[in-house]
Amino acid sequence: MKNNPLESAKQQLLDIAKILELDKKTVDRLLKIENLVSGEISVKLDNGRIQKFKAWRSQHNSACGPYKGGIRFHEGVTVEEVQALSMWMTWKTAVVGIPYGGGKGGVVVNPKNLSKSELQRLSRAYIKLIAEHIGSDKDIPAPDVNTNAEIMGWMLDEYEKIVGRKEPGVLTGKPLELGGSKGRTEATGLGGSYVLDSFVKKLKKQKKNVSIAVQGFGNVGSYFAKFAYKNGYKIVAVSDSKNTLYNEKGLNIDKAFDYKAANDTFKGFPGGKLLPAEAVLSLNVDILVPAALENAVNEENVSKINARHILEMANGPVTPRAEEVLTAKKILILPDVLANAGGVVVSYFEWVQNLQNYYWEKEEVYAKLKKLMDKAFASVWSEFERLSKVSKKSTLRQAAYSLAVQKVVGAMKARGEN
Ligand code: NAD
């Protein structure tokens, strides 16, 4: 199957399993989704009609702790995608060393076609479907594409009604009023900016001489661009699903951020010119940051990539085939499981705060996030150097997977699996 994210996720695992010389039984166990909740949820529309939506929650592996992963509302969601994303969550939580397994949820819907009250009914119906499978010590969902703090608030309310008790730690990415953490909204972008800093130090380059193009200007892309801009990098392009906003001298990201928030488009922004949406991928920049959806860089467009390196802020934005081509060109790819882990790290902090009923200031959240991301980068980099001594074709993804898979296998063994 072409660009099937589950095939990509499996391929990446098989690749590292070979390097680590894992036995077949262990590999099969790691490939297995432990539990998949599937259903159709019925939502009453404002006009009285009932509409049905396909929905899933995939729980990949819980050896290291409760499942953890976002909920995606998108018309392109498939069961394969949800499973792949849950598998990536297992590795991501292991790479950054937080005590979780991997999960992910999805509903096939274009939320833009729903009114706010319809969206709320959909969110509540989804929680009804998965309620018995989640819990603060079982599976802890969070926002992903097209879901946000407001939706988490509705979902928490529904869950607490079903179980008949307060349990704020069942979901993260909540509004502050319901036990959300300071710093969660911007956490993924901020975490990515810490990884960028560590990487640029390794490249021995000055920030102002590093040009960056960011694909996607939603939660992840916009905050990543904002922090990178604040830290002195030259962001020459940002894009959304309609346009690329480009200025070779560098964009003022704060202004672009406010403009996009006010107008929902880059059209008419005075500080840059508009190019087609896909143009962002082929710009000649030091670092390309795909921060939209998976498969953005694939075997069809990989020959058009002109960036020196790639920082994956979306999940699975570079397909394995495309990665082979890029690796042969010595383009380093900072893998999603490391680069975009900031969101789940602050989700973890939120959960810890919920369990303790003791809340931290934003500065404390940022400092703890930086410490964890810096440590994860350093471990992945040294594993990369180790693997590179064995094979010149080694990648940072293999290094991250190597650490993650060893950790999960270690936890399975410690549980008595053999
Ligand atoms: P979002 O819905 O806030 O934003 C998605 C952005 O992508 C929007 O700007 C949209 O216009 C843009 N987009 C969609 N199709 C595009 C295209 N073809 N070309 C260019 N831009 C396009 O979603 P998000 O939360 O920012 O998530 C983005 C990615 O990051 C996803 O892969 C998600 O799984 C991943 N991620 C999110 C988080 C999080 O905390 N939100 C954490 C880790 C990973």
Side-chain angles (χ1 to χ4, degrees):
M1 244 190 208
K2 221 165 147 191
N3 296 341
N4 172 339
L6 186 57
E7 292 307 317
S8 297
K10 286 181 175 173
Q11 192 49 54
Q12 289 159 348
L13 177 62
L14 292 173
D15 182 29
I16 197 63
K18 205 166 153 192
I19 293 171
L20 296 176
E21 297 177 352
L22 296 182
D23 60 79
K24 186 173 177 320
K25 196 170 155 217
T26 305
V27 177
D28 288 345
R29 168 74 173 87
L30 292 172
L31 285 170
K32 201 175 128 209
I33 301 291
E34 287 176 359
N35 186 31
L36 179 69
V37 183
S38 310
E40 254 191 350
I41 53 179
S42 299
V43 178
K44 192 172 189 183
L45 303 181
D46 292 343
N47 64 12
R49 224 167 40 85
I50 303 283
Q51 193 171 336
K52 294 193 167 181
F53 300 88
K54 277 195 177 146
W56 300 278
R57 180 80 189 163
S58 170
Q59 299 175 323
H60 170 241
N61 186 297
S62 60
C64 294
Y67 306 105
K68 182 92 193 81
I71 298 167
R72 176 174 292 198
F73 286 177
H74 195 274
E75 55 197 344
V77 168
T78 62
V79 65
E80 289 84 10
E81 179 184 75
V82 175
Q83 291 174 91
L85 288 161
S86 71
M87 206 182 258
W88 285 324
M89 284 307 296
T90 303
W91 315 135
K92 192 180 301 182
T93 51
V95 167
V96 287
I98 55 178
Y100 292 130
K104 203 77 177 192
V107 180
V108 184
V109 58
N110 180 350
K112 287 190 179 152
N113 294 339
L114 298 183
S115 70
K116 202 156 179 180
S117 47
E118 289 167 341
L119 188 61
Q120 182 171 162
R121 289 196 287 278
L122 176 88
S123 305
R124 288 180 184 276
Y126 178 69
I127 285 301
K128 272 189 201 132
L129 174 74
I130 64 166
E132 67 175 292
H133 302 278
I134 62 173
S136 53
D137 52 6
K138 209 171 183 183
D139 182 355
I140 305 135
D144 189 63
V145 175
N146 290 330
T147 53
N148 55 24
E150 186 178 36
I151 292 175
M152 294 305 114
W154 300 331
M155 289 182 168
L156 176 70
D157 185 64
E158 187 64 33
Y159 180 79
E160 290 183 339
K161 277 184 182 143
I162 293 169
V163 297
R165 62 169 184 275
K166 298 296 174 203
E167 193 180 324
V170 67
L171 289 152
T172 58
K174 300 179 292 291
L176 286 177
E177 297 86 338
L178 297 179
S181 177
K182 288 183 179 159
R184 173 62 184 90
T185 307
E186 65 274 32
T188 308
L190 178 61
S193 79
Y194 293 146
V195 171
L196 173 70
D197 284 349
S198 299
F199 180 57
V200 167
K201 262 189 211 149
K202 294 285 178 199
L203 295 179
K204 298 194 171 57
K205 286 195 87 158
Q206 282 198 310
K207 294 178 183 178
K208 66 176 170 36
N209 296 331
V210 176
S211 59
I212 297 179
V214 183
Q215 184 200 35
F217 208 66
N219 172 283
V220 175
S222 67
Y223 279 106
F224 171 82
K226 226 175 178 340
F227 286 112
Y229 174 69
K230 186 168 163 236
N231 293 342
Y233 294 95
K234 189 162 91 171
I235 318 286
V236 295
V238 294
S239 76
D240 60 14
S241 55
K242 308 227 164 55
N243 302 289
T244 295
L245 177 67
Y246 177 67
N247 183 337
E248 68 174 328
K249 296 207 170 86
L251 293 161
N252 180 324
I253 296 297
D254 289 336
K255 287 190 177 156
F257 187 95
D258 293 344
Y259 189 90
K260 169 85 175 159
N263 302 288
D264 198 26
T265 176
F266 294 124
K267 231 182 236 169
F269 180 71
K273 64 177 176 185
L274 289 186
L275 303 174
E278 60 281 6
V280 70
L281 293 174
S282 51
L283 294 171
N284 184 356
V285 287
D286 291 304
I287 301 182
L288 171 65
V289 182
L293 293 171
E294 56 277 354
N295 297 332
V297 180
N298 51 56
E299 53 198 290
E300 267 113 58
N301 64 11
V302 65
S303 61
K304 297 190 188 132
I305 301 294
N306 284 308
R308 250 72 70 209
H309 303 294
I310 294 183
L311 176 75
E312 292 187 330
M313 289 303 293
N315 284 313
V318 179
T319 65
R321 287 266 182 89
E323 179 157 16
E324 273 173 33
V325 176
L326 297 169
T327 303
K329 290 187 186 170
K330 306 237 177 305
I331 293 176
L332 290 178
I333 302 172
L334 288 140
D336 48 7
V337 289
L338 169 69
N340 71 24
V344 73
V345 169
V346 176
S347 271
Y348 165 57
F349 295 159
E350 179 176 333
W351 180 74
V352 169
Q353 292 171 78
N354 294 151
L355 297 184
Q356 297 180 333
N357 280 304
Y358 177 65
Y359 289 86
W360 311 340
E361 288 308 321
K362 191 165 87 175
E363 292 68 31
E364 192 172 350
V365 172
Y366 280 20
K368 285 186 157 79
L369 173 63
K370 179 164 166 44
K371 200 170 162 188
L372 236 143
M373 295 304 292
D374 287 356
K375 190 173 161 204
F377 177 90
S379 318
V380 171
W381 193 266
S382 71
E383 179 70 356
F384 174 58
E385 288 179 333
R386 192 186 71 79
L387 292 176
S388 297
K389 283 182 195 142
V390 183
S391 162
K392 289 275 165 253
K393 286 188 190 157
S394 297
T395 65
L396 283 156
R397 189 180 322 277
Q398 287 169 341
Y401 270 56
S402 166
L403 297 178
V405 169
Q406 289 182 73
K407 181 157 186 233
V408 174
V409 170
M412 289 179 344
K413 284 211 173 110
R415 285 173 185 280
E417 285 192 34
N418 51 39

